[in-house]
């Protein structure tokens, strides 16, 4: 699970795109709302790689194994 000393917990300061790569030109996974909690997993230049905790209904996802 993400919350450890290796993955510090951080709060999102304002709505921001969660990017696929560390670039404003990269596509977005979606918007992180203000006050969302993320966990830092790495750093590349001025960008943090983060983990996000959330939920999605099981009928909207499927395993990608074997695709």
């Amino acid at each position: 699970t993400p919350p450890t000393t290796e993955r510090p917990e951080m709060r999102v300061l304002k709505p921001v795109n969660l990017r696929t790569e560390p670039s404003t030109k990269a596509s977005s996974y979606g918007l992180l709302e203000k006050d969302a909690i993320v966990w830092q997993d790495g750093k590349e230049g001025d960008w943090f790689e983060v983990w996000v905790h959330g939920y999605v209904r099981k009928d909207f996802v499927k395993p990608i194994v074997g695709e």
Side-chain angles (χ1 to χ4, degrees), residues 29-62:
Y29 287 121
L31 195 66
L32 293 175
E33 296 293 336
K34 180 180 184 286
D35 294 326
I37 301 299
V38 297
W39 291 270
Q40 180 186 342
D41 193 40
K43 185 176 183 222
E44 191 169 326
D46 291 335
W47 293 78
F48 288 125
E49 183 176 4
V50 296
W51 286 73
V52 179
H53 176 76
Y55 294 89
V56 62
R57 279 181 50 120
K58 66 181 184 177
D59 50 332
F60 290 104
V61 295
K62 69 176 186 172

